[in-house]
Amino acid sequence: MHWATILGAVCSLTAVSAQDDTYSPGVPPSPFPSAAAAARLKIDPQTACDTANNASKPRNVQLAAWVECQILAFYPYPRGDDPANTDWIAGYEDTFHPSARLSFNGTRFNRDGFLQLYKTFSSSIGQNFAQFQQFRDYYVASPDSWNATSIGGTVSAQGFNGGIFRNGITLHAPNAAFITVEEREGRRWITELREQSTLMSASQLPKDGQLWPCNPEYEVCS
Ligand SMILES: *[C@@H]1O[C@H](CO)[C@@H](O)[C@H](O)[C@H]1NC(C)=O
Ligand SMILES: *[C@@H]1O[C@H](CO)[C@@H](O)[C@H](O)[C@H]1NC(C)=O
Ligand SMILES: *[C@@H]1O[C@H](CO)[C@@H](O)[C@H](O)[C@H]1NC(C)=O
């Protein structure tokens, strides 16, 4: 069944290149920009958790909505004025599988190490920002293609993080993530998160991080 779709796409490509035989890199000619834009998901944070569990929604929407729901639960900015607010740790533990491989900019972390990193971020955000948010402008989500009922897949997200400092100055910086979601024990877990942020940080990450948990199914773990 997929072949018909792929052939259809190839025919449309042929038709476009017949109209315009000079190829220029960048955004392809109409109608592709609108089709591509429609495949980029915007997830409403207010309804993300409900959407994640709504089997009537398309699988890619459910998958991206689950990531949005979980990010809201673990993103370590203090809720309210209490910089010691640690409610997000429960969300963190509910999101990341114990075997998770995580990175921030170029430095690798295991699940415990990444939690320690987020604790330092949380404390520094609490001390410096009056308001802090992480926005994901859009998601690209690809559910597992090899299993039509699997709730796992891969997800990319882009947006901004930042906020308003206590002195009133605002600061926002691009933030992006590549996320692998796997179905284990009948539920979703993030097993890999590669985050990158250009938000200036006073405490730079170490170059060398932690050894990632080895998966003997695919790797030589000696
Ligand atoms: C689930 O999604 C469908 C399709 O978008 C929608 O009609 C329905 O109201 C949603 N159900 C809930 C409980 O949100
Ligand atoms: C496909 O997904 C279903 C439900 O998510 C799961 O029960 C089943 O074991 C999966 N099949 C394979 C071959 O992995
Ligand atoms: C991540 O990289 C950006 C861009 O080089 C840099 O501004 C930022 O401070 C880095 N973050 C950390 C925590 O090292």
Side-chain angles (χ1 to χ4, degrees), residues 32-197:
F32 292 102
S34 56
R40 300 198 313 188
L41 304 173
K42 288 183 186 297
I43 301 294
D44 179 352
Q46 303 300 327
T47 54
C49 299
D50 290 338
T51 301
N53 295 311
N54 185 338
S56 303
K57 301 282 188 197
R59 286 172 80 210
N60 63 330
V61 174
Q62 292 177 53
L63 182 63
W66 181 80
V67 170
E68 173 78 16
C69 173
Q70 296 300 121
I71 288 178
L72 290 173
F74 77 70
Y75 199 75
Y77 57 88
R79 275 87 170 154
D81 293 332
D82 178 8
N85 183 331
T86 52
D87 286 355
W88 60 272
I89 292 174
Y92 181 96
E93 289 172 345
D94 185 56
T95 300
F96 294 109
H97 194 267
S99 69
R101 299 171 168 198
L102 308 152
S103 68
F104 191 98
N105 286 354
T107 305
R108 292 162 180 77
F109 300 90
N110 62 24
R111 189 196 198 218
D112 289 344
F114 203 60
L115 177 60
Q116 296 312 314
L117 177 73
Y118 266 36
K119 282 182 178 170
T120 65
F121 287 165
S122 179
S123 150
S124 135
I125 289 167
Q127 282 160 22
N128 294 298
F129 285 90
Q131 281 183 34
F132 193 85
Q133 254 296 6
Q134 167 136 214
F135 303 98
R136 285 153 300 277
D137 298 327
Y138 64 83
Y139 284 95
V140 178
S142 306
D144 291 329
S145 54
W146 43 267
N147 185 341
T149 58
S150 160
I151 53 177
T154 53
V155 179
S156 301
Q158 282 197 10
F160 288 84
N161 56 3
I164 306 171
F165 282 114
R166 295 196 179 276
N167 64 11
I169 293 173
T170 59
L171 176 74
H172 289 96
N175 179 281
F178 170 81
I179 299 149
T180 302
V181 178
E182 287 184 50
E183 182 178 336
R184 306 247 183 122
E185 302 104 28
R187 53 153 290 187
R188 296 182 177 104
W189 294 94
I190 291 181
T191 54
E192 182 174 348
L193 170 82
R194 308 214 61 168
E195 179 176 0
Q196 86 194 92
S197 168

